[in-house]
């Protein structure tokens, strides 16, 4: 790889791409209006859960499953470059049911898992209560999906930034960023501090990907912010050991005892306020399933913006402008999909592979694209 790459957006997606490219010998600069690893990358719960999310889209599910398989090695690479630990746990995700209809729905999920060869435990009331005694006495049964889990996404963001720097990536703050291109190809980016030339520019701006100025309309992905409010409780360490889905809320533990409660799903533009209704709904649903949490202190509340797309698939790969790539629109699964996205985008930039990105291209909007392998190699 002999050209400079600019990644716009220092979230987990942008940082993972930069880390991967730098490992393959590219000179990479990352620009962001904020600190690295923030926005949705910081606000999420870090669940690594393609089956729990019950992704119906086969292409997206396949990418999620592949990404889940890549996670341990990805974390190991980032750990050895940064010296930091992101607390990866893949001990399963628990789903709890409180009535017959919810139990039936878990059994249907279990049938789909069996057809795919995914291992799980269907739990009757007594085995669920004995493994998760903090759950309410109204619980009637549950399901534990093996192999899924979570990573501390805030730690992963700090770690990826450090790993990028260790590999020679420049991470720069810019209060404004605009892409510059001629009619055929990308030239670089112009920030408030000047022009940076690049052979390739990757739009990894998450929920802001459609706001990035400069490219023609045919290169702008239809991404919109989908707000998620969350809060954290201070619970005894290891009280809740695995992420647990309750009706209307999920709980995700942290090694320091924080217990995250998430998340709302709202179309509210770029508003990131935490509302009374949002907090009330999350706590109501969490305490309905687990009244034993009621006495724990609420230590934090926040909101983030998932990058949503009309069909739920991310936009990954080439655009009509040679050298301008997209890596955005990961909606509920950005943390999970970061390593797979990074690998595929790096392959594309090296002029190899990329077929797996076909379902995620702009072509599904009717956009005419150049031959990816011929036009993006740097
Ligand atoms: N992946 C969980 C969420 O987006 O709320």
């Amino acid at each position: 790889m002999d050209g400079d790459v600019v990644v716009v957006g220092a979230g987990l997606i942008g940082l993972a791409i930069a880390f991967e490219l730098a490992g393959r010998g590219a000179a990479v600069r990352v620009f962001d209006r904020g600190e690295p690893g923030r926005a949705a990358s910081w606000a999420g719960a870090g669940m690594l859960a393609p089956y729990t999310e019950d992704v119906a889209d086969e292409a997206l599910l396949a990418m999620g499953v592949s990404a889940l398989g890549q996670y341990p090695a990805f974390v190991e690479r980032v750990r050895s470059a940064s010296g930091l630990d992101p607390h990866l746990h893949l001990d399963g995700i628990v789903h709890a049911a409180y009535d017959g209809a919810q139990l039936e729905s878990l059994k249907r999920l279990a049938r789909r898992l069996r057809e795919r060869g995914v291992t799980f435990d269907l739990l009757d009331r007594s085995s669920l209560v004995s493994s998760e005694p903090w759950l309410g006495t109204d619980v009637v049964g549950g399901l534990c999906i093996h192999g899924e889990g979570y990573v501390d996404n805030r730690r992963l963001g700090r770690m990826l930034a450090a790993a990028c720097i260790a590999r020679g990536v420049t991470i720069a703050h810019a209060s404004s960023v605009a892409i510059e291109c001629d009619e055929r190809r990308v030239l670089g980016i112009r920030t408030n501090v000047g022009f940076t030339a690049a052979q390739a520019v990757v739009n990894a701006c998450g929920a802001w990907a459609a706001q990035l100025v400069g490219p023609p309309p045919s290169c702008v992905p239809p991404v919109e912010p989908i707000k998620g409010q969350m809060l954290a409780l201070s619970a005894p360490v290891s009280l809740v050991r695995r992420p647990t889905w309750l009706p209307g809320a999920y709980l995700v533990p942290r090694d320091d005892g924080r217990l995250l409660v998430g998340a709302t799903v709202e179309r509210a533009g770029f508003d990131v306020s935490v509302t009374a209704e949002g907090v009330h709904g999350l706590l109501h649903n969490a305490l309905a399933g687990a009244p034993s949490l009621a006495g724990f202190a609420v230590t934090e509340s926040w909101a983030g913006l998932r990058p949503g797309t009309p069909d739920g698939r991310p936009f990954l790969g080439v655009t009509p402008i040679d050298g301008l790539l997209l890596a955005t629109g990961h909606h509920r699964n950005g943390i999970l999909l970061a390593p797979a996205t990074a690998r595929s985008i790096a392959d594309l930039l090296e002029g190899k592979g990329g077929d797996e990105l076909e379902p995620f291209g702009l072509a599904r909007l009717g956009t005419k694209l150049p031959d990816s392998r011929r036009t993006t190699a740097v």
Side-chain angles (χ1 to χ4, degrees):
M1 217 175 266
D2 57 5
D4 280 15
V5 181
V6 162
V7 178
V8 187
L12 290 178
I13 297 290
L15 291 174
I17 291 170
F19 177 69
E20 180 72 29
L21 285 169
R24 300 185 190 199
V28 190
R29 289 160 207 245
V30 181
F31 290 84
D32 200 297
R33 287 184 306 187
E35 286 173 47
R38 297 290 295 195
S41 302
W42 180 90
M47 259 181 300
L48 306 174
Y51 299 114
T52 284
E53 288 278 354
D54 208 8
V55 175
D57 181 315
E58 287 296 332
L60 189 55
L61 179 62
M63 188 178 186
V65 171
S66 165
L68 183 60
Q70 292 173 37
Y71 237 89
F74 166 68
V75 159
E76 204 38 60
R77 285 196 300 279
V78 185
R79 192 203 313 265
S80 85
S82 66
L84 302 170
D85 180 357
H87 300 173
L88 174 67
H89 297 271
L90 295 174
D91 309 321
I93 294 188
V94 173
H95 296 241
Y98 291 82
D99 61 30
Q102 289 166 12
L103 200 54
E104 273 314 307
S105 159
L106 289 185
K107 285 181 181 165
R108 283 195 296 277
L109 175 56
R111 280 197 288 279
R112 293 196 291 281
L113 294 173
R114 188 175 293 116
E115 282 162 15
R116 295 183 180 282
V118 181
T119 58
F120 59 86
D121 294 319
L122 263 175
L123 304 162
D124 61 19
R125 185 182 179 283
S126 73
S127 51
L128 184 54
V129 169
S130 77
S131 73
E132 314 295 340
W134 53 273
L135 278 172
T137 48
D138 291 344
V139 73
V140 295
L143 173 74
C144 176
I145 304 178
H146 299 174
E148 293 192 324
Y150 68 98
V151 67
D152 184 331
N153 42 297
R154 295 184 185 176
R155 293 181 72 95
L156 183 60
R158 292 196 291 275
M159 181 178 167
L160 258 175
C164 280
I165 290 164
R167 284 194 172 174
V169 173
T170 307
I171 303 177
H173 176 267
S175 53
S176 71
V177 181
I179 290 183
E180 293 208 355
C181 43
D182 63 22
E183 279 170 15
R184 202 183 69 78
R185 67 161 299 111
V186 79
L187 304 172
I189 61 161
R190 186 164 298 279
T191 70
N192 51 306
V193 293
F195 179 71
T196 301
Q199 287 285 312
V201 175
V202 183
N203 176 350
C205 293
W208 290 266
Q211 322 291 310
L212 184 57
V213 295
S218 62
C219 300
V220 177
V223 170
E224 68 159 338
I226 306 290
K227 178 177 174 181
Q229 300 186 47
M230 296 193 58
L231 50 91
L233 304 178
S234 175
V237 174
S238 296
L239 174 77
V240 177
R241 291 169 299 110
R242 294 176 291 196
T244 303
W245 279 49
L246 308 171
Y250 55 73
L251 308 172
V252 185
R254 290 291 184 255
D255 287 9
D256 61 6
R258 274 178 312 136
L259 182 60
L260 312 191
V261 183
T264 65
V265 179
E266 302 166 67
R267 291 177 89 173
F270 288 93
D271 167 55
V272 285
S273 58
V274 175
T275 63
E277 185 183 22
V279 170
H280 174 261
L282 292 173
L283 285 176
H284 173 83
N285 295 339
L287 296 183
S292 67
L293 306 181
F296 299 140
V298 176
T299 52
E300 201 185 341
S301 62
W302 65 95
L305 300 173
R306 308 173 183 90
T309 65
D311 62 4
R313 290 183 178 178
F315 283 96
L316 309 174
V318 298
T319 67
I321 293 291
D322 201 3
L324 176 60
L325 276 76
L326 301 177
T328 184
H330 296 79
H331 194 212
R332 297 179 65 92
N333 294 295
I335 296 161
L336 169 67
L337 295 174
T341 299
R343 199 151 91 175
S344 293
I345 293 290
D347 284 350
L348 202 55
L349 283 167
E350 280 192 328
K352 60 186 191 197
D355 291 345
E356 72 283 7
L357 293 184
E358 187 83 30
F360 307 111
L362 277 173
R364 70 188 195 268
L365 303 179
T367 309
K368 196 164 161 27
L369 295 174
D371 174 337
S372 57
R373 267 150 290 184
R374 188 167 46 77
T375 55
T376 58
V378 295

